[in-house]
Amino acid sequence: MKKKSSSTTLDPKKNYQQTQKDIGYVPRKKAKESDYKRIGFMSGLEVHQQLKTKQKLFCHCPAGIFHDNNDYHAEVIRHMRPTLSEMGEYDGTALMEFKTKKNIFYRIHNKTTCTYEIDDTPPFPINREALEYALQISLLCKLNIVGEVHITRKQYLDGSIPTGFQRTAILGVEGEIQLKNKKVGLLQLSIEEDSCREISDIGHNRIYKTDRLGMPLIETVTHPHCLTPDELREAADYIRFINRSSGKVRTGMGAAREDVNVSCAGGTRVEIKGVAHNKWIPELSHNEAFRQWALLNIRKILLERYPDPGKWELTWKEFNPKELGIENQQILNFFNEGNKCIAINLTNFQGILSHFTQPGKSFNNEISDRLKVIACIEKPNMTSSEDLDSPLSENDIEKFSKLLGTKPTDAILLLWGSEEDIPTAIETVEERCRMAFEGVPRETRKSFPDGTTIFERVLPGADRMYPDTDSPPIPLFENYIDELRQQIPPDVSERYEQLKTWEIPDDTYTYLLKRNLVPVIEQIVDLGISGRFIGTFLGHTLKRIEGYFPRHKDFTYDHVVELFKFLINEKIDLSLAKTMLPAVYQNPNMDFNSVLTIINFKRRSKEELVAPIDYLIEKFKEIKISKNNTKSITIQWVMGQLHKQALGNINLRELRKSIESKLTNA
């Protein structure tokens, strides 16, 4: 008779599903406002936006010029070390990054990088163009402008900035934005230098390129006033609209990025870093709030089992899977590659490792993610008795139970890695398990398009900030601020009202505001064209073209203005713009007469177009498409025959009236 395992069998997938129900998880699509009230959803934003300047913030290198990953002239390697704050304390994030023992490589291109970026020379005076742009946007946000700009250093030891710190300065405090149903407070707006772009992060080696480094950036921080994911998305869109309405910011992939701060009742602030698309925000914030709700349930379970968490401990042993007779092929493969294998007993942790945290993820992932980041062991780096994808077999669990002396309420975790990484790995597992007794760790997480996140680093604290002794304070005089105030564009809420006044369809608003197209509409309206017509043209036709055709690097929205000027001057019907725009979009340097040739446009007089109508009506009678060729069907068919020739030569409504008149008199 087979001996029963000393560890009670638990089905990880069933436990995952049960704990998902226990915390009352609701998928984003089915969630209601009452679900967010139940868990105490609370969130805010840090919106980062690059400024459209010619040069970087603290040197004279060009901004906005990028190079390929393998196009570089030199490579610099750095090892980061933490420094004490003004209060004589080390920042937790800095200590965590130091523990990883990373080799940081920087790929440098001579065209975009100088000695300032690699910390060989002090900073130049701040870029006044960037400062002016940032102050104008601060005024747009109704922020209170500071009397003096003080540049500080914000420590970053992840290697994203070669100096180990980012220069930043607060420009405005305590403003607000008006959403549809509420106001959201703005905590502050800062100007700062952008970081490097990461190429790869494998093991102990992390590679960056420095083309983006030092570009001027503004950071707009909101209070945590958003109580649903939809409010959060609306706030992110509104801030983006404000930034773009200034005409002073860059657009395109990577030019704007959001950090989303989320918490739930009893949880803590967790930062989802670098969200590239606003459309991701609702799913990400929803899942993060419920992840925290799940972690609070894990804390409750553990405290019931261990009222005194200080007495909790794990035990571990190194093992040889061949000598132990382990069946798990994954473990055998990693052992054969020269890795050390460690078996860990987590006392009273049964059901915790397979506890739901995010869609498709369990507490197992909380540990695995940290092993990747802190111990630098690439995934797959562990498995357990409660692995959702490939749990240990009954035979293997029995063998590890004997090795570790587990009880039925314990859980078994196995990890592997190089000899030098194993001590950090064991320490990381213990640290994360002890955190489970406290609830939700303060951390920064990386986002994915599916709405899930992974651990990135410990959330930084105030200890990472200290003054920049290389940069003197910059006074901001009242008359200078008043001059800037006169230059700012209308508020976004006024833009909304403009669109409503023009009676433009409201399904175009987000597109038009996101691309700051209201000034373009104003220019075309000044030509005598209906605001409703041009707003619909941009919000529907241009949007479709942008999603379908490749955009030429020289195309700007000014080309649309020039297109309508050309049509008016040439007395061509405006309906032809829809046919011409794809060609203009892809070939903006081509003159408009050449575009007419490409689309095979030929000028026709009204008399020429109307002449064949009688013939076409008679021909349609012969065709007999249906038993009852009604008047409307006849008109549609004749319009179809003349449409291509008529487009641009005559208003289509006028052509329809001519056909109707002919039918009446027939």
Side-chain angles (χ1 to χ4, degrees):
M1 185 175 178
K2 186 177 177 180
K3 186 177 179 182
K4 188 176 179 181
S5 170
S6 59
S7 179
T8 304
T9 302
L10 179 142
D11 186 324
K13 290 186 178 179
K14 285 184 178 179
N15 187 60
Y16 169 87
Q17 292 166 355
Q18 183 58 51
T19 54
Q20 192 177 36
K21 292 177 182 177
D22 291 343
I23 68 164
Y25 174 78
V26 183
R28 161 70 187 150
K29 290 181 180 178
K30 296 182 179 179
K32 300 175 182 177
E33 190 172 338
S34 57
D35 293 307
Y36 299 117
K37 283 184 179 179
R38 170 171 61 88
I39 67 172
F41 180 98
M42 189 165 61
S43 188
L45 293 161
E46 299 170 24
V47 181
H48 301 85
Q49 176 72 63
Q50 291 176 350
L51 299 173
K52 192 165 58 177
T53 59
K54 299 179 184 68
Q55 297 180 338
K56 294 186 178 183
L57 192 57
F58 289 106
C59 70
H60 297 159
C61 290
I65 297 176
F66 305 112
H67 58 83
D68 294 332
N69 292 352
N70 295 313
D71 179 19
Y72 59 98
H73 298 111
E75 193 169 67
V76 174
I77 183 171
R78 286 267 165 90
H79 298 94
M80 297 296 180
R81 293 178 176 82
T83 58
L84 291 169
S85 71
E86 281 189 296
M87 303 300 293
E89 301 287 340
Y90 285 112
D91 175 58
T93 307
L95 291 175
M96 188 217 82
E97 293 289 355
F98 182 61
K99 190 188 293 185
T100 65
K101 301 174 184 176
K102 288 281 187 182
N103 303 309
I104 313 295
F105 295 88
Y106 299 99
R107 292 182 177 176
I108 296 170
H109 195 286
N110 291 341
K111 195 172 184 179
T112 60
T113 311
C114 67
T115 52
Y116 165 72
E117 271 93 346
I118 58 172
D119 199 26
D120 271 2
T121 56
F124 289 78
I126 194 169
N127 183 329
R128 298 298 296 203
E129 181 186 33
L131 181 61
E132 184 171 302
Y133 289 176
L135 287 168
Q136 287 178 333
I137 295 172
S138 298
L139 291 168
L140 268 174
C141 294
K142 299 181 175 63
L143 290 157
N144 299 304
I145 306 302
V146 299
E148 202 169 57
V149 178
H150 290 268
I151 298 168
T152 58
R153 297 180 181 183
K154 188 188 295 183
Q155 196 171 122
Y156 277 99
L157 287 200
D158 61 354
S160 58
I161 300 180
T163 57
F165 61 84
Q166 177 191 56
R167 286 185 168 91
T168 180
I170 296 173
L171 301 183
V173 296
E174 295 305 332
E176 65 180 23
I177 55 175
Q178 177 65 59
L179 305 186
K180 290 176 184 176
N181 300 314
K182 68 185 295 183
K183 289 182 178 180
V184 171
L186 299 182
L187 179 63
Q188 66 185 45
L189 185 146
S190 303
I191 187 170
E192 55 194 32
E193 51 190 346
D194 209 343
S195 58
C196 294
R197 290 197 286 174
E198 185 181 299
I199 296 174
S200 66
D201 183 6
I202 301 172
H204 289 277
N205 296 323
R206 188 177 290 158
I207 302 174
Y208 291 101
K209 57 180 178 178
T210 58
D211 50 3
R212 191 180 74 183
L213 176 65
M215 285 178 60
L217 190 77
I218 56 169
E219 179 191 51
T220 307
V221 183
T222 77
H223 285 284
H225 291 168
C226 298
L227 304 182
T228 69
D230 290 325
E231 284 184 0
L232 194 62
R233 165 72 188 271
E234 187 184 353
D237 282 341
Y238 198 98
I239 293 170
R240 179 170 287 188
F241 298 159
I242 289 175
N243 291 341
R244 293 194 175 188
S245 72
S246 70
K248 310 295 186 184
V249 301
R250 296 187 185 278
T251 58
M253 189 64 183
R257 309 182 296 279
E258 283 79 34
D259 296 343
V260 181
N261 297 310
V262 184
S263 67
C264 73
T268 190
R269 180 173 77 91
V270 168
E271 180 182 73
I272 304 173
K273 193 77 173 174
V275 181
H277 302 284
N278 285 0
K279 64 183 178 182
W280 294 357
I281 289 176
E283 190 78 22
L284 286 165
S285 57
H286 171 92
N287 286 335
E288 173 54 31
F290 274 100
R291 185 186 75 91
Q292 293 191 29
W293 198 243
L295 293 178
L296 292 173
N297 192 56
I298 288 174
R299 179 184 68 175
K300 178 185 174 184
I301 295 169
L302 288 174
L303 289 177
E304 287 172 354
R305 297 176 182 178
Y306 250 103
D308 185 358
K311 294 181 179 179
W312 180 86
E313 61 181 12
L314 59 74
T315 56
W316 63 272
K317 287 186 179 180
E318 184 179 349
F319 68 93
N320 182 321
K322 293 181 178 179
E323 292 178 359
L324 209 57
I326 298 303
E327 300 170 353
N328 189 293
Q329 194 58 48
Q330 185 183 49
I331 298 172
L332 290 168
N333 290 342
F334 279 102
F335 179 77
N336 291 334
E337 291 172 5
N339 290 287
K340 273 196 167 188
C341 294
I342 303 296
I344 300 176
N345 181 53
L346 302 176
T347 310
N348 278 349
F349 255 67
Q350 190 189 60
I352 300 299
L353 295 181
S354 57
H355 192 294
F356 168 86
T357 53
Q358 300 179 76
K361 294 178 181 285
S362 68
F363 193 77
N364 262 314
N365 299 94
E366 297 282 319
I367 299 174
S368 179
D369 292 346
R370 289 194 173 227
L371 287 174
K372 159 72 172 78
V373 174
I374 300 174
C376 299
I377 304 176
E378 291 301 312
K379 295 181 181 179
N381 49 31
M382 59 162 274
T383 188
S384 74
S385 54
E386 299 180 18
D387 195 305
L388 293 180
D389 298 320
S390 54
L392 296 170
S393 67
E394 285 287 333
N395 286 337
D396 284 349
I397 289 176
E398 176 66 30
K399 291 166 185 173
F400 284 118
S401 293
K402 287 181 179 178
L403 176 69
L404 296 167
T406 62
K407 301 189 297 295
T409 56
D410 297 343
I412 298 169
L413 185 148
L414 311 171
L415 61 84
W416 45 83
S418 65
E419 186 171 358
E420 63 177 6
D421 292 330
I422 287 297
T424 303
I426 297 170
E427 182 183 329
T428 299
V429 173
E430 181 173 10
E431 182 181 48
R432 184 63 189 89
C433 289
R434 289 193 180 280
M435 287 178 180
F437 286 92
E438 299 170 8
V440 183
R442 289 170 55 83
E443 60 192 32
T444 295
R445 299 182 67 82
K446 182 179 179 180
S447 63
F448 289 96
D450 66 357
T452 63
T453 58
I454 61 171
F455 172 79
E456 189 168 71
R457 61 173 181 261
V458 175
L459 191 67
D463 292 329
R464 68 171 177 160
M465 298 285 289
Y466 52 99
D468 180 31
T469 53
D470 292 325
S471 304
I474 305 166
L476 297 177
F477 299 107
E478 193 60 38
N479 60 341
Y480 173 61
I481 300 302
D482 286 339
E483 288 176 14
L484 294 179
R485 191 174 278 112
Q486 300 305 313
Q487 300 172 27
I488 63 174
D491 189 80
V492 173
S493 60
E494 294 178 41
R495 296 295 202 197
Y496 272 114
E497 290 305 315
Q498 279 182 292
L499 296 175
K500 289 178 183 177
T501 301
W502 284 322
E503 297 182 340
I504 295 171
D506 56 12
D507 65 346
T508 66
Y509 287 9
T510 298
Y511 175 83
L512 296 174
L513 292 169
K514 186 177 180 180
R515 284 160 176 74
N516 194 31
L517 288 172
V518 176
V520 176
I521 297 174
E522 288 174 328
Q523 291 182 65
I524 298 175
V525 167
D526 287 342
L527 300 176
I529 298 174
S530 154
R532 179 178 175 83
F533 172 84
I534 189 57
T536 306
F537 178 83
L538 294 172
H540 290 163
T541 304
L542 178 58
K543 181 181 180 181
R544 180 185 61 79
I545 289 169
E546 283 193 339
Y548 189 79
F549 294 102
R551 178 174 180 158
H552 192 283
K553 63 182 179 64
D554 293 335
F555 176 81
T556 68
Y557 296 125
D558 289 337
H559 287 93
V560 181
V561 180
E562 295 304 315
L563 171 60
F564 280 97
K565 284 181 180 178
F566 171 79
L567 294 175
I568 291 171
N569 291 336
E570 295 295 318
K571 295 182 173 54
I572 297 174
D573 189 77
L574 301 181
S575 59
L576 194 64
K578 192 172 183 178
T579 306
M580 294 180 69
L581 189 57
V584 174
Y585 187 76
Q586 298 173 85
N587 305 282
N589 299 318
M590 182 182 294
D591 67 86
F592 293 123
N593 281 308
S594 298
V595 173
L596 293 179
T597 302
I598 286 177
I599 64 173
N600 297 316
F601 173 74
K602 294 180 181 179
R603 293 183 185 272
R604 295 278 192 275
S605 67
K606 180 180 177 180
E607 290 73 21
E608 289 178 289
L609 290 167
V610 171
I613 291 177
D614 288 328
Y615 166 76
L616 290 170
I617 291 172
E618 292 302 317
K619 185 176 180 180
F620 183 70
K621 289 178 181 177
E622 297 173 7
I623 294 174
K624 292 182 180 179
I625 291 177
S626 66
K627 293 180 179 179
N628 297 310
N629 287 335
T630 62
K631 183 178 180 180
S632 61
I633 294 176
T634 304
I635 293 170
Q636 288 175 19
W637 186 83
V638 176
M639 283 284 290
Q641 300 303 306
L642 297 174
H643 182 271
K644 189 173 181 180
Q645 298 176 53
L647 203 62
N649 286 307
I650 185 174
N651 186 284
L652 296 179
R653 289 180 182 175
E654 188 177 347
L655 178 62
R656 185 182 183 91
K657 286 180 181 179
S658 297
I659 298 170
E660 289 174 346
S661 176
K662 293 278 188 180
L663 271 172
T664 302
N665 297 326

